[in-house]
Amino acid sequence: MATFSMSVGIMVAIAIGAMSPGPSFVLVSRISVSNSRLHGLAAAIGMGFGGAFFAILALAGLVALLQQVDWLYLVLKCAGGLYLAYLGIAIWRGAREPISVVPADGRSRFAVSRAFFLGIVTQVSNPKTAVVYASIFAALMPQDSPLALILALPPLIFLIEAGWYAIVALVFSTPRSQRAYLGGKVWVDRLAGAVIGALGLRLIGESLAVLRR
């Protein structure tokens, strides 16, 4: 019963974090509304794998290494920020490019595998997520945590992350959402690009601020 209670507490904390707006939400919603439900679900699964990867890092204690070796954490943070900034610029620049919603046969020039890859890369572009996971684990898990709980956490986090973004994909891949997107594509893409780019610049700025200290 104690193991179950700990699992529920950790899962609730992770779920709240997953539902907070960020580049992952922007990316999944945009992929879903501009392509197909399958593309959005592929991106959601990629987000789930990224979350499970960070959970494994936190449980393995590698986050502690990142926290002690400041320059390594800052390098990863800057790299993630640069990727998000690049992604934001790419979305902004493509705002005026014409696009048509995926037809009924589900065929699209945008490969489903690419949506999956973008989901993973976007999720792991922010190493701060691993630190958040580690903080939640440290706060809610006892020092002598049962092995069953440790082994269950990565797949459970995968289900939470993938499940939440699957809901996002289902909502934004509806015909109504796609029609609304096509009606305001330029401004929607520019807003998405600006949000993702700003989050990337924030990561870079935070890293540079630490270096100046």
Side-chain angles (χ1 to χ4, degrees), residues 6-80:
M6 284 185 291
S7 300
V8 171
I10 292 172
M11 294 305 100
V12 169
I14 296 296
I16 292 173
M19 293 179 186
S20 60
S24 298
F25 179 89
V26 175
L27 183 77
V28 174
S29 60
R30 184 181 180 277
I31 287 176
S32 302
V33 78
S34 62
N35 291 275
S36 72
R37 182 165 296 174
L38 181 60
H39 289 80
L41 292 175
I45 293 173
M47 296 295 176
F49 274 108
F53 171 75
F54 275 142
I56 293 172
L57 283 184
L59 292 170
L62 294 179
V63 173
L65 174 63
L66 294 179
Q67 290 175 323
Q68 292 185 4
V69 184
D70 293 338
W71 66 266
L72 179 58
Y73 177 67
L74 292 177
V75 167
L76 293 176
K77 200 171 181 180
C78 276

Side-chain angles (χ1 to χ4, degrees), residues 23-24 27 31 42-43 45-51 53-54 76 79-84 86-87 113-127 129 196 203:
S24 298
L27 183 77
I31 287 176
I45 293 173
M47 296 295 176
F49 274 108
F53 171 75
F54 275 142
L76 293 176
L82 288 172
Y83 166 74
L84 290 178
Y86 163 78
L87 184 61
S113 58
R114 185 183 174 194
F116 172 76
F117 176 76
L118 281 174
I120 292 180
V121 176
T122 301
Q123 181 77 306
V124 302
S125 64
N126 186 3
T129 304
I196 292 178
L203 284 178

Side-chain angles (χ1 to χ4, degrees), residues 33 101 172 174-186 188:
V33 78
V101 175
F172 282 90
T174 61
R176 179 179 296 180
S177 297
Q178 292 180 331
R179 286 194 298 269
Y181 170 72
L182 290 176
K185 178 184 181 297
V186 173
V188 172

Side-chain angles (χ1 to χ4, degrees), residues 45-210:
I45 293 173
M47 296 295 176
F49 274 108
F53 171 75
F54 275 142
I56 293 172
L57 283 184
L59 292 170
L62 294 179
V63 173
L65 174 63
L66 294 179
Q67 290 175 323
Q68 292 185 4
V69 184
D70 293 338
W71 66 266
L72 179 58
Y73 177 67
L74 292 177
V75 167
L76 293 176
K77 200 171 181 180
C78 276
L82 288 172
Y83 166 74
L84 290 178
Y86 163 78
L87 184 61
I89 292 172
I91 293 175
W92 179 284
R93 293 181 63 182
R96 290 192 174 277
E97 294 180 3
I99 188 172
S100 58
V101 175
V102 176
D105 60 10
R107 295 177 183 175
S108 170
R109 290 181 298 173
F110 188 82
V112 174
S113 58
R114 185 183 174 194
F116 172 76
F117 176 76
L118 281 174
I120 292 180
V121 176
T122 301
Q123 181 77 306
V124 302
S125 64
N126 186 3
K128 187 184 293 184
T129 304
V131 177
V132 171
Y133 283 0
S135 300
I136 293 174
F137 295 161
L140 300 179
M141 291 175 62
Q143 190 172 4
D144 55 344
S145 299
L147 181 61
L149 175 61
I150 294 174
L151 294 177
L153 283 176
L156 285 175
I157 288 175
F158 168 83
L159 291 176
I160 289 175
E161 295 277 358
W164 164 246
Y165 289 112
I167 294 174
V168 174
L170 293 175
V171 171
F172 282 90
S173 61
T174 61
R176 179 179 296 180
S177 297
Q178 292 180 331
R179 286 194 298 269
Y181 170 72
L182 290 176
K185 178 184 181 297
V186 173
W187 296 109
V188 172
D189 280 6
R190 284 182 174 175
L191 177 61
V195 170
I196 292 178
L199 290 170
L201 293 176
R202 178 182 175 183
L203 284 178
I204 297 172
E206 290 175 350
S207 302
L208 295 177
V210 172

